[in-house]
């Protein structure tokens, strides 16, 4: 079993819809959680960073962490075609520790 | 602000040739540095990480090596490339005087022919 599980998709949604992405993990020591967006042939771009449990909002993006369920989510409101990309979750035990990545979910937002 | 550079952006090399990829970080001191490889349609594989000058940890036994000659410079090398070394190589940094988040460079696309 992988430490971090993420559905690879593809996830196809119409423009304007809410995109819901999630990852589950098995290591209860994870405390630092990140979401990245990766466009084709580009390096991953950090979208959201959260520590421990709770919600964090930044513009159209909301990240949620539920440590009791070992489950993290990323929501994208009012999705745009420019949101079409692969979204990677990542997490670590320590603030400078090695990140464990999910496999990434491909998202396609259709006009 | 911090920035991370990688070069070259693309590289086509024959099997058996040497390799040197370079990564430099600006705007932070004493960061952790990482090399990842991403095969087509696959996830990120951590190859090496470094917590300081001259300190290299290898995650996966392979045909590659890494070095950190300066605080903000990380180099990925190979003496003889294999076809299986083809992929998208990403450098990343975390910590130091910058942040707890991890940031990636733009990547180098390597094709071994």
């Amino acid at each position: 079993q992988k430490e971090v599980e993420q559905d690879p998709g593809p996830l196809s949604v119409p423009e304007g819809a809410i995109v819901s992405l999630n990852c589950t993990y098995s290591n209860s020591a994870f405390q630092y959680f990140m979401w990245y967006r990766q466009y084709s042939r580009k390096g991953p771009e950090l979208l959201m960073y959260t520590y421990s449990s709770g919600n964090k909002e930044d513009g159209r993006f909301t990240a949620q962490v539920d440590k009791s369920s070992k489950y993290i989510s990323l929501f994208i409101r009012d999705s745009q075609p420019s949101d079409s990309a692969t979204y990677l979750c990542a997490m670590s035990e320590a603030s400078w520790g090695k990140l464990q990545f999910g496999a990434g979910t491909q998202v396609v937002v259709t006009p | 602000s911090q920035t991370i550079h990688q070069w070259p952006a693309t590289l086509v090399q024959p099997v058996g040739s040497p390799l040197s990829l370079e990564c430099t970080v600006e705007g932070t001191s004493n960061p952790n540095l990482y090399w990842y490889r991403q095969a087509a349609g696959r996830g990120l594989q951590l190859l090496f990480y470094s917590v300081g000058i001259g300190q290299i940890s290898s995650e996966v036994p392979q045909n590659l090596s890494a070095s950190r000659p300066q605080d903000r410079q990380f180099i990925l090398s190979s003496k003889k490339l294999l076809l299986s070394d083809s992929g998208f190589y990403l450098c990343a940094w975390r910590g130091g005087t910058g942040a707890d988040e991890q940031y990636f460079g733009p990547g180098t696309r390597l094709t071994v022919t």
Side-chain angles (χ1 to χ4, degrees), chain B residues 18-69:
Chain B
L19 173 74
S20 181
L21 303 181
E22 190 165 343
C23 169
T24 59
V25 181
E26 297 176 357
T28 186
S29 297
N30 195 33
N32 285 359
L33 296 174
Y34 305 86
W35 278 112
Y36 292 85
R37 178 169 58 203
Q38 189 174 39
R42 300 186 65 179
L44 290 165
Q45 179 187 32
L46 180 62
L47 302 175
F48 301 94
Y49 70 94
S50 171
V51 299
I53 296 174
Q55 301 179 64
I56 307 295
S57 295
S58 175
E59 288 293 297
V60 181
Q62 59 213 323
N63 186 41
L64 302 168
S65 62
S67 62
R68 185 171 176 174

Side-chain angles (χ1 to χ4, degrees), chain B residues 12-18 81 111-113:
Chain B
V12 180
Q13 292 283 93
V15 168
S17 64
L81 284 169
T111 303
V112 182
T113 60

Side-chain angles (χ1 to χ4, degrees), chain A residues 22-51:
Chain A
N22 57 75
C23 290
T24 59
Y25 61 93
S26 57
N27 185 352
S28 58
F30 286 146
Q31 296 191 81
Y32 299 85
F33 304 91
M34 302 180 202
W35 284 97
Y36 292 87
R37 176 176 63 196
Q38 186 176 23
Y39 292 115
S40 179
R41 308 178 76 87
K42 301 289 186 183
E45 171 192 9
L46 181 66
L47 283 178
M48 300 290 281
Y49 168 62
T50 54
Y51 168 69

